[in-house]
Amino acid sequence: GAVVSQHPSRVICKSGTSVKIECRSLDFQATTMFWYRQFPKQSLMLMATSNEGSKATYEQGVEKDKFLINHASLTLSTLTVTSAHPEDSSFYICSAPYHNEQFFGPGTRLTVL
Amino acid sequence: GDSVTQMEGPVTLSEEAFLTINCTYTATGYPSLFWYVQYPGEGLQLLLKATKADDKGSNKGFEATYRKETTSFHLEKGSVQVSDSAVYFCALGSYNQGGKLIFGQGTELSVKP
């Protein structure tokens, strides 16, 4: 089956620093990947669509300069949280489509101190 | 815009009880509908799906029927087990939008022995 990995699984950083989260499709290629944010006990909120070879498409209300997305290859998308602040602490999840199904990564827990 | 509404949790049931988790949606066009499950500490997994009106998705004893007339996709299981304890998410998606998903807020299910 299709597997999506994320790295790191957990990260703790200081306020003002930047953090990069990787999303990889391990056994298939994905020209599109999706980034979601999940707050505790709440739903997944779609942040942006990552497009290989072109700019990401951001959902309304998501700051492009805060959440930088780069789809570097057909198997890798990265989300960089720039100048992170405590309110950016959350669970970030990526997904990639394969054969008309979305496969999700295990998520990255970001804690900003 | 498109949206999904689920019944609020947490839902606590005894083993072998009947489960219903309500889900209604608002969408333009003809989306596909999904139920995802998130077990503690794990990523989202597709539980079942339906791609058109009157389709019934089923998996692991769970069922849901795509009802266009009531814009609903309620999840049911006749006899729950302790191992079904998880958070369940209803979602809609449209592949002409690149496969991105809109999630409901999630319903936490706890099954007691």
Side-chain angles (χ1 to χ4, degrees):
Chain A
V3 179
V4 176
S5 70
Q6 281 184 244
H7 178 78
S9 56
R10 291 180 177 271
V11 57
I12 300 173
C13 69
K14 293 183 179 179
S15 189
T17 61
S18 294
V19 173
K20 181 185 284 188
I21 302 169
E22 293 184 348
C23 176
R24 292 182 186 273
S25 55
L26 296 186
D27 47 4
F28 65 102
Q29 294 182 334
T31 56
T32 300
M33 292 183 176
F34 300 94
W35 286 96
Y36 295 85
R37 183 173 179 176
Q38 185 181 25
F39 293 97
K41 306 283 188 183
Q42 293 188 32
S43 185
L44 282 76
M45 180 192 77
L46 179 64
M47 299 174 65
T49 303
S50 174
N51 303 300
E52 191 270 336
S54 63
K55 291 182 179 179
T57 306
Y58 290 82
E59 297 299 303
Q60 193 171 10
V62 177
E63 298 176 62
K64 301 178 184 182
D65 296 332
K66 159 69 81 175
F67 300 102
L68 299 180
I69 290 172
N70 181 33
H71 202 129
S73 73
L74 288 172
T75 59
L76 173 64
S77 174
T78 59
L79 168 68
T80 302
V81 183
T82 63
S83 187
H85 290 284
E87 58 266 30
D88 299 323
S89 298
S90 194
F91 195 55
Y92 293 89
I93 302 172
C94 69
S95 74
Y98 180 69
H99 287 185
N100 281 343
E101 184 175 332
Q102 288 290 333
F103 289 86
F104 287 81
T108 297
R109 172 77 58 196
L110 170 63
T111 303
V112 184
L113 303 177
Chain B
D2 295 354
S3 66
V4 176
T5 303
Q6 282 179 243
M7 64 185 282
E8 288 193 21
V11 173
T12 302
L13 296 173
S14 297
E15 208 166 19
E16 299 184 3
F18 184 85
L19 168 71
T20 300
I21 301 177
N22 290 337
C23 170
T24 57
Y25 68 92
T26 303
T28 54
Y30 304 96
S32 295
L33 300 174
F34 306 86
W35 278 99
Y36 282 86
V37 58
Q38 187 177 35
Y39 297 103
E42 298 184 17
L44 270 77
Q45 302 173 29
L46 178 65
L47 180 60
L48 54 84
K49 67 178 181 181
T51 57
K52 61 183 187 297
D54 299 325
D55 268 3
K56 178 187 282 188
S58 61
N59 186 27
K60 299 181 181 178
F62 291 89
E63 292 184 341
T65 301
Y66 189 160
R67 302 279 188 206
K68 190 165 179 237
E69 64 276 13
T70 54
T71 61
S72 65
F73 193 55
H74 304 321
L75 182 68
E76 296 182 337
K77 186 174 185 181
S79 176
V80 293
Q81 305 300 313
V82 172
S83 57
D84 293 327
S85 298
V87 181
Y88 293 81
F89 292 92
C90 185
L92 69 82
S94 176
Y95 287 101
N96 63 5
Q97 292 186 40
K100 68 179 183 182
L101 296 170
I102 306 297
F103 284 88
Q105 63 267 46
T107 302
E108 183 178 0
L109 170 65
S110 177
V111 180
K112 307 296 184 187

